[in-house]
Amino acid sequence: MSQLVTLPAGAPAEDILTVLVRDGALIITDLASSKEVDRLTSEIMPYVVATRPGQDGFSGFRTTRTGALVARSPACRELISHPLLHSLCTAFLKPNCERWQLHLGQVIRIMPGQEAQPIHRDRWAWGTHLKGIEPQLNTIWAVTDFERENGATQVVPGSVDWPDDRRPTEDEITWAQMSRGSVLIYTGSVFHGGGANTSQSDRIGLNITYTLGWLRQEENQYLSCPPDIARTLSPELQALIGYDLGSYALGYYTPPLAPGEGPEVVSPRFALTGEGSGSALGSDELLAAVAAQTTSSTSV
């Protein structure tokens, strides 16, 4: 049977990336403290308990999925902004984008009686249209202990290069068994799926994923965390959820104001600060990046 590599919380980012590129997934133990997980649980459980189960076999008839975590939970914001994950995103995603962003924040509760989820790739959120590029980096934090019996995530290490129609055999599947506060880090290309819960207790995980800044996010952060809430966040978190340009001329908008009462072309940040004027499509830094790419492509 395949096995997931497990590394301690203090492992160097370079070691984590080496395993991630090779296997597509690994576990980091005890990255969040018991106190942090307790605080997270107290903030999110009222929403989790009030969430209805899924309505189809893939989302799970005995599974709940609770979102809008940036708006609802300061503890979730801290994990979303974890320095280790940001360093991994920069190394793993930045080569293919000017800026990476939050793709999804969701609490997944697998309740007793839930069958195993079909094995899949998260990158299929965009269909199978993206070729030759890794679009995302994902995490599942253990809010409860993850055991095979309570629905620990099924993972197929080494499946990142498989064709989309390849299906794993039983001996190729393993389970992300980990203690509360540990985190499964995995790519958008590795095959995986929620496990079957044959126990008498819930399995609760915090699913936080990141993606290239030029792709549409799975969870619409602008609606989940609208401007009146986003204004209360740090500028770094505002940019992370999408209130910034994804590249030069990517994501700007025109405030629908009366003639002469506002600018015509501004960054999404204008919705939070009201600052900006003229018709600048992006920063000098983004423009320089586009110019460099244009020069490179025309000099070949």
Side-chain angles (χ1 to χ4, degrees), residues 112-123:
Q114 173 63 58
E115 298 179 353
Q117 185 185 41
I119 299 290
H120 63 283
R121 283 174 159 154
D122 278 353
R123 64 179 296 148

Side-chain angles (χ1 to χ4, degrees), residues 149-218:
E149 292 74 21
N150 72 359
T153 305
Q154 308 168 90
V155 186
V156 186
S159 61
V160 292
D161 295 325
W162 288 9
D164 284 319
D165 59 357
R166 168 86 147 81
R167 293 295 176 265
T169 57
E170 287 188 14
D171 63 322
E172 293 173 318
I173 301 172
T174 189
W175 287 262
Q177 300 187 88
M178 54 185 176
S179 60
R180 186 174 185 256
S182 299
V183 59
L184 170 69
I185 303 177
Y186 63 105
T187 72
S189 296
V190 74
F191 280 87
H192 71 288
N197 190 341
T198 60
S199 75
Q200 300 301 310
S201 59
D202 294 343
R203 189 227 76 178
I204 301 175
L206 174 62
N207 188 200
I208 299 171
T209 77
Y210 309 86
T211 189
L212 307 175
W214 47 267
L215 287 171
R216 184 178 176 94
Q217 296 147 298
E218 181 171 339

Side-chain angles (χ1 to χ4, degrees), residues 172-293:
E172 293 173 318
I173 301 172
T174 189
W175 287 262
Q177 300 187 88
M178 54 185 176
S179 60
R180 186 174 185 256
S182 299
V183 59
L184 170 69
I185 303 177
Y186 63 105
T187 72
S189 296
V190 74
F191 280 87
H192 71 288
N197 190 341
T198 60
S199 75
Q200 300 301 310
S201 59
D202 294 343
R203 189 227 76 178
I204 301 175
L206 174 62
N207 188 200
I208 299 171
T209 77
Y210 309 86
T211 189
L212 307 175
W214 47 267
L215 287 171
R216 184 178 176 94
Q217 296 147 298
E218 181 171 339
E219 181 183 26
N220 190 317
Q221 300 295 328
Y222 312 106
L223 298 179
S224 293
C225 190
D228 60 326
I229 298 176
R231 285 190 194 98
T232 68
L233 307 177
S234 69
E236 294 78 14
L237 189 52
Q238 290 169 350
L240 181 60
I241 64 176
Y243 284 95
D244 206 346
L245 292 170
S247 183
Y248 185 80
L250 184 61
Y252 68 83
Y253 81 111
T254 299
L257 303 173
E261 290 190 4
E264 283 299 307
V265 178
V266 289
S267 162
R269 190 169 295 279
F270 181 86
L272 307 182
T273 66
E275 298 174 357
S277 61
S279 297
L281 294 179
S283 68
D284 291 341
E285 180 183 359
L286 292 176
L287 179 57
V290 172
Q293 292 168 1

Side-chain angles (χ1 to χ4, degrees), residues 48-66 106-111 114-115 117:
V48 172
V49 171
T51 301
R52 293 181 59 193
Q55 301 298 302
D56 58 62
F58 187 84
S59 60
F61 295 107
R62 295 286 300 160
T63 298
T64 61
R65 300 170 186 273
T66 305
Q106 188 178 78
V107 176
I108 302 176
R109 174 180 55 155
I110 297 180
M111 296 181 285
Q114 173 63 58
E115 298 179 353
Q117 185 185 41

